[in-house]
Amino acid sequence: MAKTIAMFNNKGGVSKTTTTFNLGWMLAERGHKVVMVDADPQCNLTGMVLDIKEEDALSSFYRENPGRNLRDALEPAFASRPKPLEAVDCVPVEGIENLFLIPGHVGLAEDEVSLGIAQQLSESVQALKNLPGSFRYLFDLTADAYDADFVLLDLSPGLGAINQNLVATSDYFIVPASPDVFSVMALESLARVLPRWNRWAENAAKLDALNTADYPFPSPDLRFLGTVIQRYRLKSGSATEGFRAYFDELDQQVQTVLAPALAAAGMLFPQEIYKAAGMDGAMRLVSIPDFNSLITNSQQARKPVFALTKDDTESRGFVWDTQKASIDSFHKLFSELAERIETLTN
């Protein structure tokens, strides 16, 4: 069975999408088969994989590839059609073998209300019983079709029914964050929300209506992998003083607020497993500084920053030497992230 990992934080702007894309590529580079899922209606991950610079490009993709996106693939469940869910015909990511995408759809947000009602009333309204288990069922079906090792979910920053479902039915989750006051506050919110979502999933899995659904709701077994801190500037190889203060606050918030709440809900590994992955009590998987000008090159080339070439950057001489050093550094950081995830999920 593939291991499903949700990238989630209810705060936006913390590089969930770039983390998903770069991590997926690195895991594929390390020999794994990976399916990425764009579950954010903004479709930023889809835009990193597909060439959708033209105004009507995404709409054209939907028209020319019916059923080849997350919302359309779920339609048999949400529209109660007399046909079963089928594995998605994923989009292969150019430039790397064994990395695939289930594209997002801007209309996915329209299903939020239906799923929310189903997750509250599915026991009493039989027509809704197939919805809560449909997402994970579709992901497992697709992962089996591609013999995938990992399924990476790129989620929106909201606290709605879709994110509740996708996080609670995942095997693992990562919290991307930035060294700022809003990320510190978000961790306190997650300490309240995530155990509540886990309790909901535990109760949902016990309902006969969801057990006997065409797409059974899975028994939850969610574990926290750690945080990924991004979007900060370096000076002399270290985070600048202003950012370092927030690093300390984030570590403190994880150790004293988030981790105890997750431990009480049974959502942490034993400490020796984190230690085996080279992590301490702050549970930080990796810290990744700003990509700076490389992010533009990455978006244009539709590659992760660590896979950029001299031709991709169109740089020469000293400028390229400096960029190459940064590219190599990012490769090392994402390799470290992937290695820790391999250790934790094994």
Side-chain angles (χ1 to χ4, degrees), residues 67-133:
R68 209 178 181 190
N69 65 76
L70 181 56
R71 190 191 187 204
D72 288 357
L74 287 165
E75 188 185 26
F78 278 82
S80 299
R81 295 192 180 278
K83 58 176 287 190
L85 293 178
E86 298 177 351
V88 181
D89 179 15
C90 296
V91 174
V93 177
E94 292 184 14
I96 184 78
E97 292 184 356
N98 296 325
L99 181 60
F100 306 93
L101 172 73
I102 298 179
H105 195 292
V106 294
L108 183 65
E110 298 172 23
D111 293 329
E112 189 94 49
V113 173
S114 298
L115 182 62
I117 293 171
Q119 292 180 171
Q120 296 297 321
L121 301 176
S122 55
E123 189 174 21
S124 56
V125 181
Q126 289 296 302
L128 301 175
K129 69 179 185 179
N130 282 331
L131 301 192

Side-chain angles (χ1 to χ4, degrees), residues 78-293:
F78 278 82
S80 299
R81 295 192 180 278
K83 58 176 287 190
L85 293 178
E86 298 177 351
V88 181
D89 179 15
C90 296
V91 174
V93 177
E94 292 184 14
I96 184 78
E97 292 184 356
N98 296 325
L99 181 60
F100 306 93
L101 172 73
I102 298 179
H105 195 292
V106 294
L108 183 65
E110 298 172 23
D111 293 329
E112 189 94 49
V113 173
S114 298
L115 182 62
I117 293 171
Q119 292 180 171
Q120 296 297 321
L121 301 176
S122 55
E123 189 174 21
S124 56
V125 181
Q126 289 296 302
L128 301 175
K129 69 179 185 179
N130 282 331
L131 301 192
S134 62
F135 282 89
R136 181 59 193 256
Y137 189 92
L138 178 70
F139 300 155
D140 287 345
L141 204 63
T142 304
D144 287 346
Y146 284 84
D147 195 24
D149 302 301
F150 291 95
V151 175
L152 304 183
L153 309 181
D154 180 30
L155 306 184
S156 71
L159 293 175
I162 291 177
N163 281 351
Q164 175 181 349
N165 184 293
L166 296 185
V167 172
T169 60
S170 292
D171 302 311
Y172 312 97
F173 70 101
I174 292 171
V175 176
S178 301
D180 58 45
V181 64
F182 301 107
S183 283
V184 173
M185 294 169 63
L187 291 180
E188 185 174 352
S189 174
L190 292 177
R192 296 190 298 269
V193 170
L194 292 170
R196 187 168 70 241
W197 284 359
N198 196 59
R199 288 193 299 273
W200 163 77
E202 289 174 342
N203 292 331
K206 297 174 184 176
L207 297 176
D208 287 340
L210 298 188
N211 283 326
T212 59
D214 292 335
Y215 315 120
F217 191 84
S219 297
D221 190 23
L222 182 63
R223 292 293 183 272
F224 178 48
L225 294 179
T227 62
V228 174
I229 311 300
Q230 291 202 65
R231 300 179 70 91
Y232 63 92
R233 294 193 176 278
L234 295 175
K235 184 177 181 180
S236 301
S238 300
T240 59
E241 185 175 349
F243 286 119
R244 284 201 303 272
Y246 284 118
F247 268 92
D248 293 340
E249 289 192 46
L250 286 168
D251 289 349
Q252 180 76 1
Q253 196 79 336
V254 170
Q255 291 175 297
T256 63
V257 179
L258 181 61
L262 297 180
M267 298 167 69
L268 293 186
F269 294 113
Q271 281 302 312
E272 56 266 24
I273 293 181
Y274 292 107
K275 288 181 181 178
M279 300 166 66
D280 59 19
M283 298 182 182
R284 193 188 310 160
L285 286 160
V286 70
S287 303
I288 302 171
D290 275 348
F291 297 145
N292 297 321
S293 62

